[in-house]
Amino acid sequence: MNPAPLGGAQRASNAAPPADRLKLFAIAFVVRLAALMLAARIGRFPEFWEYEVIAHNLLTGRGFVYTHMGLERHAYVEPLYPLFVTAVYLVTGASVWALALVQCAVSSLVAIVIYEFARLMFDRRTAIAAGLIVIIHPGLAANAVRFHVVTFDMLGIATVALCAMLWMREPRPGPAALFGAVTGACVLTRPTILAFSSLFGVWVAVRRRVAPVHALIALGTATAIVAPWVVRNYVVLDAFVFTRSHVGFGFWLGNHPGATGGEGDPDDPTGSRSLFDRAPSSFREVVLAQPDEIAQDRVFRDAARRYVVDHPVEFVMRTAKKLVYFWGFSPYAGKRYRTADVVIYRAFYIAIVMLALIGLIVVDWRDRRQADGVRVVLLTLATISLSQALFYVQGRHRLALEPLLIVLSGRGVSWCLTRRWPGWCAH
């Protein structure tokens, strides 16, 4: 069931000199430092979100709380990123510059993970091309200096996919446990990864690519990592809350009569007002009258469910529309950014999509490494994007998946360059 051993020449071209990783990390870090300096110069740094507020509340003894819609919420977001911010602040005296530097380093690791994935799937040339595209990607570099979880989402999703490849290549308990551990950690930042990990685990077990007991090891490891947060939520909130307490609100944002596909008010030029502000006053009054976050979220959940049940065709059509928005450009996207920034990002995104299509076309399906890699990439992209489209979609949701798309883009670049210069990257 394992891939056939590589021949001598192929093994040599697929080898990964240790310097590759170090060089890619160093270049990525320098690019992100440049993005940090630019953000500070134009007044886009520091840019705070709810995670930083939670970190300050933890440091001042208030606990893992965030005030939203008039209530103190104890499970507003997944815990991993706020705890990361808290740890950096604790060590550095709440220095935003130190946090930005550490986050630049975390973002730089994405290039290494994508390099390793592309090398396992294709060869060193493709791996270097994919790593360099990740490095110069304007969206990935810009978000490295924003205090938002999206950078951790990128790293987590890409690492889960890499561990999936490693598990298939070495179907043993160790890689299975590693896959489960990384999945568990990723759930604590982006729970939609479960859509991929669950289907992947079932697929490799049913197809006998791995022993079923190994799939159970992966499941058990992931559960062990996520369970403490679930138990904590039950103790604090006296209710089962998997990762966050406003899933119903997210579902309502994408599924109610005034839904647009996103979370913001389309008539707000700043993009900062929520669709909740446009809801009928009677509905807002009911929501704001609830005594706690669980009851409040239940109002959103029940309203969204009623809408879906009463309008099933519209729900399906709107979900399809949100999928188009996810992989394309929605009319409400980009309001928080300068026009030039939006144009640069969109041009870059179109380029990597075109290169990814070329990379997909030239895949050698007879090579199990390539075939397995394509299946992992496409399954990840499909499951996470569909899971998100059931709720609402924003640009940051796709941005978390773009590093994996770049694996195929790197193949497209490598194929084009090899046809023109056969000896490129020979050493």
Side-chain angles (χ1 to χ4, degrees):
M1 304 303 291
N2 292 329
L6 297 176
Q10 188 177 2
R11 187 163 49 243
S13 84
N14 200 38
D20 280 0
R21 303 180 187 91
L22 182 59
K23 289 176 181 177
L24 287 172
F25 180 87
I27 297 170
F29 191 71
V30 169
V31 170
R32 278 139 185 78
L33 285 181
L36 175 59
M37 296 300 104
L38 177 61
R41 182 176 180 179
I42 65 176
R44 295 299 298 264
F45 176 84
E47 188 174 347
F48 297 124
W49 297 71
E50 59 266 30
Y51 313 98
E52 205 263 352
V53 175
I54 293 172
H56 275 294
N57 286 338
L58 283 168
L59 291 171
T60 56
R62 292 186 60 201
F64 196 99
V65 296
Y66 180 74
T67 302
H68 181 65
M69 292 187 184
L71 293 173
E72 277 198 348
R73 297 174 178 268
H74 300 269
Y76 185 71
V77 293
E78 288 73 27
L80 192 57
Y81 182 66
L83 293 179
F84 161 79
V85 176
T86 303
V88 175
Y89 276 179
L90 188 63
V91 172
T92 65
S95 168
V96 295
W97 286 99
L99 177 59
L101 290 175
V102 175
Q103 195 158 292
C104 284
V106 172
S107 177
S108 299
L109 292 175
V110 178
I112 308 303
V113 173
I114 294 304
Y115 168 88
E116 292 294 344
F117 191 105
R119 187 179 63 83
L120 283 177
M121 181 178 171
F122 295 112
D123 50 41
R124 179 173 170 252
R125 296 179 178 185
T126 298
I128 291 175
L132 290 174
I133 295 172
V134 169
I135 288 172
I136 65 173
H137 189 305
L140 306 191
N143 277 275
V145 301
R146 299 171 68 215
F147 298 149
H148 194 280
V149 72
V150 67
T151 294
F152 273 56
D153 293 340
M154 298 172 196
L155 182 62
I157 292 171
T159 306
V160 169
L162 174 61
C163 290
M165 284 284 287
L166 293 171
W167 187 16
M168 284 194 293
R169 287 175 63 84
E170 298 184 38
R172 297 182 291 106
L178 179 61
F179 175 79
V182 175
T183 293
C186 192
V187 166
L188 296 179
T189 65
R190 176 61 56 181
T192 49
I193 191 64
L194 284 175
F196 163 74
S197 295
S198 302
L199 284 178
F200 175 78
V202 171
W203 175 69
V204 293
V206 170
R207 292 291 300 272
R208 300 186 182 278
R209 300 294 299 275
V210 302
V213 68
H214 295 170
L216 293 177
I217 290 173
L219 175 62
T221 307
T223 301
I225 291 175
V226 177
W229 179 246
V230 178
V231 172
R232 174 265 182 194
N233 290 341
Y234 188 83
V235 171
V236 172
L237 299 171
D238 194 27
F240 174 79
V241 174
F242 183 53
T243 60
R244 60 170 61 189
S245 63
H246 68 295
V247 174
F249 176 59
F251 192 54
W252 175 86
L253 281 174
N255 299 281
H256 71 276
T260 62
E263 64 178 331
D265 182 348
D267 296 330
D268 176 19
T270 67
S272 59
R273 294 180 64 217
S274 168
L275 283 175
F276 179 67
D277 299 320
R278 290 170 47 118
S281 59
S282 57
F283 179 73
R284 295 201 306 272
E285 290 170 2
V286 170
V287 169
L288 297 176
Q290 299 306 307
D292 56 58
E293 60 193 287
I294 301 300
Q296 196 175 77
D297 198 59
R298 189 178 298 119
V299 173
F300 284 113
R301 181 198 65 193
D302 292 346
R305 283 181 176 176
R306 287 194 300 270
Y307 178 75
V308 170
V309 170
D310 293 342
H311 306 85
V313 175
E314 187 171 337
F315 167 70
V316 173
M317 296 298 293
R318 179 168 283 160
T319 300
K321 182 180 180 180
K322 285 182 283 187
L323 267 176
V324 173
Y325 284 170
F326 189 101
W327 292 112
F329 302 113
S330 66
Y332 51 78
K335 289 187 175 181
R336 295 182 178 180
Y337 303 96
R338 299 179 304 174
T339 301
D341 296 336
V342 174
V343 170
I344 291 171
Y345 164 72
R346 291 187 175 184
F348 194 91
Y349 174 69
I350 292 171
I352 65 173
V353 168
M354 299 302 294
L355 288 168
L357 291 175
I358 294 173
L360 188 60
I361 291 170
V362 301
V363 164
D364 182 359
W365 291 94
R366 297 167 299 178
D367 185 331
R368 172 165 286 183
R369 296 179 306 120
Q370 296 188 33
D372 283 346
V374 170
R375 292 185 183 105
V376 168
V377 169
L378 295 184
L379 183 62
T380 308
L381 301 183
T383 53
I384 295 180
S385 60
L386 179 57
S387 298
Q388 193 63 54
L390 295 174
F391 293 82
Y392 67 93
V393 297
Q394 295 291 121
R396 64 181 180 272
H397 299 141
R398 183 181 73 208
L399 200 64
L401 290 178
E402 287 184 33
L404 268 185
L405 182 65
I406 289 172
V407 172
L408 295 175
S409 304
R411 182 55 175 170
V413 169
S414 178
W415 183 83
C416 292
L417 291 178
T418 301
R419 286 178 63 85
R420 181 64 179 86
W421 297 288
W424 85 278
C425 194
H427 304 287

